[in-house]
């Protein structure tokens, strides 16, 4: 399950998130009337990404071994099937919605200037990495050693941060990943960034 989750996260980081940004940028800069199909494409892309995000958290949480070893963290998905469906759909909708909110903020800042968008993401990720270093929590758990460990930790921390910022993937509230406080702060920043980006863009 570890390898599958890593591949899903890389797919969201390198394809799904940029894909939604590109589609929204194309819509916002189009000189022609935008029909229903481009918006339908954005919606499908967002909720497909939300589905991937929800399955990662769902699979980790419902794994019997995880629940046995770490009952304080795993177990938020209830046992009855109707309640499981509600939780899964809620995670899917939240992840898809957060993706649209965050991508819209990036696009609006990008319309002002590329540096605005890059600065927004860069400052957010930079502050997160600095916080991890100050807490002595920057090194990732994969023990590869040497310079490879520095590279692995840097890439993994950035990927986890970006994916969480754009999807609010619930599993990444884990202390070895983003952590509960950072996860909640990421959620708040994403919600606040859209009205701020709209105000700046106007």
């Amino acid at each position: 399950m570890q390898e599958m989750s890593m591949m899903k996260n890389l797919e969201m980081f390198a394809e799904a998130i940029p894909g939604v940004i590109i589609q929204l940028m194309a819509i916002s800069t189009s000189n022609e009337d935008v029909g229903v199909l481009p918006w339908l494409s954005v919606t499908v892309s967002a909720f497909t990404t939300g589905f991937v995000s929800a399955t990662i958290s769902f699979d980790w949480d419902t794994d019997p071994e995880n629940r046995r070893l770490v009952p304080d963290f795993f177990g938020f998905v209830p046992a009855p099937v109707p309640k499981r469906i509600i939780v899964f759909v809620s995670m899917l909708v939240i992840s898809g919605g957060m993706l649209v909110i965050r991508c819209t903020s990036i696009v609006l800042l990008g319309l002002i200037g590329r540096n605005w968008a890059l600065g927004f993401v860069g400052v957010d990720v930079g502050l997160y990495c600095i916080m991890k270093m100050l807490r002595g929590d920057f090194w990732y758990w994969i023990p590869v050693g040497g310079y490879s460990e520095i590279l692995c930790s840097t890439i993994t921390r950035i990927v986890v941060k970006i994916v969480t910022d754009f999807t609010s993937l619930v599993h990444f509230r884990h202390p070895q990943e983003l952590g509960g406080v950072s996860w909640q702060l990421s959620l708040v920043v994403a919600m606040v960034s859209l009205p701020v980006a709209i105000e700046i863009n106007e």
Side-chain angles (χ1 to χ4, degrees), residues 34-49:
V34 178
V36 176
L37 289 179
W39 290 110
L40 181 61
S41 177
V42 170
T43 304
V44 170
S45 296
F47 285 103
T48 302
T49 306

Side-chain angles (χ1 to χ4, degrees), residues 6-22:
M6 292 174 79
M7 291 302 105
K8 286 181 177 180
N9 279 302
L10 286 173
E11 189 274 334
M12 286 191 288
F13 173 79
E15 182 181 351
I17 293 169
V20 174
I21 292 174
I22 290 167

Side-chain angles (χ1 to χ4, degrees), residues 164-196:
T164 304
D165 284 346
F166 281 84
T167 66
S168 291
L169 200 154
V170 178
H171 177 66
F172 284 158
R173 76 194 196 286
H174 194 282
Q176 291 178 343
E177 301 294 349
L178 213 67
V181 174
S182 295
W183 186 86
Q184 290 177 329
L185 185 61
S186 171
L187 188 68
V188 171
V189 169
M191 299 293 261
V192 171
S193 65
L194 182 57
V196 170

Side-chain angles (χ1 to χ4, degrees), residues 46-187:
F47 285 103
T48 302
T49 306
F51 179 83
V52 173
S53 172
T55 54
I56 292 172
S57 296
F58 189 88
D59 289 346
W60 278 91
D61 190 78
T62 55
D63 182 69
E65 189 67 9
N66 287 338
R67 290 188 169 198
R68 185 183 68 81
L69 293 173
V70 195
D72 291 339
F73 183 80
F74 297 106
F76 71 87
V77 178
V81 174
K83 292 183 178 180
R84 282 192 171 203
I85 293 171
I86 291 170
V87 170
F88 184 84
V89 171
S90 298
M91 289 192 295
L92 187 157
V93 171
I94 289 170
S95 289
M98 289 301 297
L99 178 60
V100 172
I101 289 171
R102 190 78 174 199
C103 288
T104 304
S105 302
I106 297 295
V107 168
L108 289 172
L109 292 172
L111 290 173
I112 302 170
R114 182 186 301 174
N115 290 339
W116 282 81
L118 294 176
F120 174 60
V121 175
V123 168
D124 194 18
V125 172
L127 289 174
Y128 164 73
C129 289
I130 290 169
M131 181 202 70
K132 280 286 189 183
M133 289 176 188
L134 291 176
R135 294 183 60 207
D137 191 31
F138 184 77
W139 302 120
Y140 205 59
W141 58 267
I142 303 174
V144 290
Y147 292 113
S148 298
E149 191 161 329
I150 297 171
L151 183 63
C152 177
S153 296
T154 303
I155 291 172
T156 306
R157 293 300 181 195
I158 291 172
V159 169
V160 167
K161 172 65 174 164
I162 296 289
V163 169
T164 304
D165 284 346
F166 281 84
T167 66
S168 291
L169 200 154
V170 178
H171 177 66
F172 284 158
R173 76 194 196 286
H174 194 282
Q176 291 178 343
E177 301 294 349
L178 213 67
V181 174
S182 295
W183 186 86
Q184 290 177 329
L185 185 61
S186 171
L187 188 68

